[in-house]
């Protein structure tokens, strides 16, 4: 893949496609990548290409493509974070091929998509995405949706990243070799652009927290903001690896006193 920063900066949510089918070469590459998806939770996330016409699927916010990718996983602890991590890996790979995507968790005929994914009782399909080559111009509906969520803006670095504890904001200058991975976290996509991640940088590594907002949990999707955390962890891990940082993933609460409605999620520690 290209440099992580290029993929992250250049990618946007695409809802309007040019009507052209994906090339056989791109389909082959995408299918091969899907089969090898992994995440640090070792939870299998199974992806499947879906044809809207053949399987009678509909998504009112998408136009110009009949190809979708669905993904499902077992209802086990940390499913949302694992799903977010793996599916974002696929999204970034698609971006490297020039294929447009958008995370969709609600605005679709969910029952039809779940039937197409052949969900077992102990499985869930939190999100799916259309696949296709982006149209040259966004539709009016797409432009309005982006403006409504302020999709091109992000919280300030020092308001979501902290130095040792939640009382000490972290600047990008002080972050040192962690600045690049954290900046890639800052530009990660999230549900309605809430950017719920908070990261405390300590001597032993980076500790990830979730700043909860009400209204993001459902039976079908699970906790959407935990999916966002998985996306953030993916961005951080890819950028850290690209930067030559030797880090190991773990879930071990460091006991840092957190802000209200803020939950410890995971850590990347120096090896």
């Amino acid at each position: 893949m290209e440099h992580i920063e290029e993929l992250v900066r250049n990618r946007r949510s695409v809802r309007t496609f040019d009507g052209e089918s994906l090339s056989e070469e791109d389909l082959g590459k995408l299918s091969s990548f899907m089969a090898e998806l992994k995440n640090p939770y070792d939870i299998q996330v199974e992806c499947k290409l879906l044809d809207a016409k053949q399987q009678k699927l509909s998504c009112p916010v998408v136009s110009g493509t009949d190809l979708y990718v669905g993904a499902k996983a077992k209802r086990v602890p940390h499913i949302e974070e694992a799903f977010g991590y793996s599916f974002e890996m696929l999204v970034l790979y698609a971006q490297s091929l020039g294929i447009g995507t958008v995370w969709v968790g609600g605005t679709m005929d969910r029952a039809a998509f779940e039937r197409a994914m052949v969900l077992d009782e102990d499985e869930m399909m939190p999100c799916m995405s259309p696949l296709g080559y982006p149209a040259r111009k966004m539709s009016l509906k797409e432009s309005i949706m982006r403006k409504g969520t302020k999709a091109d803006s992000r919280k300030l670095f020092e308001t979501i990243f902290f130095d040792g504890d939640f009382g000490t904001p972290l600047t990008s200058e002080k972050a040192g070799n962690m600045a690049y991975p954290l900046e890639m976290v800052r530009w990660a996509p999230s549900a309605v652009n809430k950017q719920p991640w908070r990261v405390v940088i300590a001597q032993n590594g980076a500790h990830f927290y979730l700043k909860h907002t009400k209204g993001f949990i459902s039976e079908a999707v699970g906790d959407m903001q935990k999916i966002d955390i998985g996306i953030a962890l993916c961005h951080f891990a890819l950028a850290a690896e690209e930067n030559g940082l030797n880090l190991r993933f773990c879930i071990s609460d460091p006991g840092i006193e957190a802000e209200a409605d803020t939950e410890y999620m995971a850590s990347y520690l120096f090896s």
Side-chain angles (χ1 to χ4, degrees):
M1 288 198 294
E2 303 167 38
H3 288 303
I4 299 307
E5 183 169 15
E6 292 177 13
L7 295 176
V8 170
R9 296 280 194 179
N10 291 333
R11 185 199 167 267
R12 64 171 177 83
S13 295
V14 177
R15 299 175 180 86
T16 310
F17 299 85
D18 69 0
E20 295 294 323
S21 298
L22 293 189
S23 69
E24 289 299 321
E25 181 181 5
D26 284 347
L27 268 177
K29 289 179 178 178
L30 206 60
S31 297
S32 297
F33 192 84
M34 283 164 43
E36 300 296 327
L37 278 179
K38 291 182 173 59
N39 58 72
Y41 297 90
D42 290 327
I43 295 173
Q44 183 181 8
V45 177
E46 181 184 346
C47 295
K48 183 179 179 181
L49 296 176
L50 307 171
D51 186 297
K53 288 183 178 178
Q54 290 182 3
Q55 295 166 300
K56 298 180 180 179
L57 308 174
S58 63
C59 180
V61 298
V62 171
S63 62
T65 185
D66 290 317
L67 182 64
Y68 291 82
V69 58
K72 64 180 182 178
K74 298 288 186 183
R75 291 180 180 270
V76 296
H78 304 296
I79 175 182
E80 295 100 335
E81 301 99 288
F83 185 95
Y85 192 106
S86 288
F87 206 70
E88 181 67 0
M89 287 284 290
L90 179 61
V91 162
L92 291 176
Y93 184 69
Q95 174 67 24
S96 76
L97 299 177
I99 298 170
T101 57
V102 57
W103 285 77
V104 180
T107 49
M108 60 171 148
D109 182 348
R110 174 167 284 280
F113 274 92
E114 290 183 348
R115 283 195 299 271
M117 288 300 298
V118 194
L119 283 191
D120 290 334
E121 287 186 3
D122 63 344
E123 294 178 324
M124 62 190 296
M125 184 201 78
C127 300
M128 61 77 175
S129 173
L131 296 170
Y133 302 120
R136 290 187 178 183
K137 185 177 180 180
M138 285 187 284
S139 68
L140 178 60
K141 182 188 295 184
E142 185 172 10
S143 298
I144 291 171
M145 290 180 72
R146 289 188 64 80
K147 288 180 181 178
T149 60
K150 299 180 179 178
D152 297 313
S153 66
R154 292 296 187 273
K155 297 181 187 295
L156 296 175
F157 192 98
E158 58 270 20
T159 63
I160 54 176
F161 305 134
F162 302 90
D163 187 3
D165 59 64
F166 279 95
T168 309
L170 180 69
T171 63
S172 58
E173 292 77 16
K174 194 170 182 181
N177 59 6
M178 287 288 198
Y180 175 53
L182 290 175
E183 185 65 8
M184 294 304 96
V185 169
R186 194 170 78 89
W187 282 99
S190 59
V192 296
N193 202 24
K194 282 292 184 181
Q195 305 158 61
W197 39 77
R198 303 290 183 270
V199 185
V200 178
I201 300 298
Q203 288 186 339
N204 63 340
H207 304 291
F208 283 73
Y209 293 78
L210 166 57
K211 177 74 170 178
H212 289 280
T213 303
K214 292 181 180 180
F216 284 85
I217 301 176
S218 70
E219 177 66 20
V221 180
D223 190 331
M224 182 66 78
Q225 293 193 311
K226 286 185 177 180
I227 293 176
D228 293 340
I229 291 294
I231 296 172
L233 289 168
C234 173
H235 281 214
F236 183 87
L238 291 174
E241 181 181 8
E242 190 174 88
N243 232 20
L245 296 177
N246 190 15
L247 299 169
R248 62 180 178 85
F249 177 83
C250 72
I251 301 174
S252 180
D253 193 335
I256 297 170
E257 186 175 351
E259 301 172 316
D261 301 318
T262 303
E263 176 188 2
Y264 169 77
M265 299 301 295
S267 301
Y268 272 104
L269 304 182
F270 292 113
S271 299

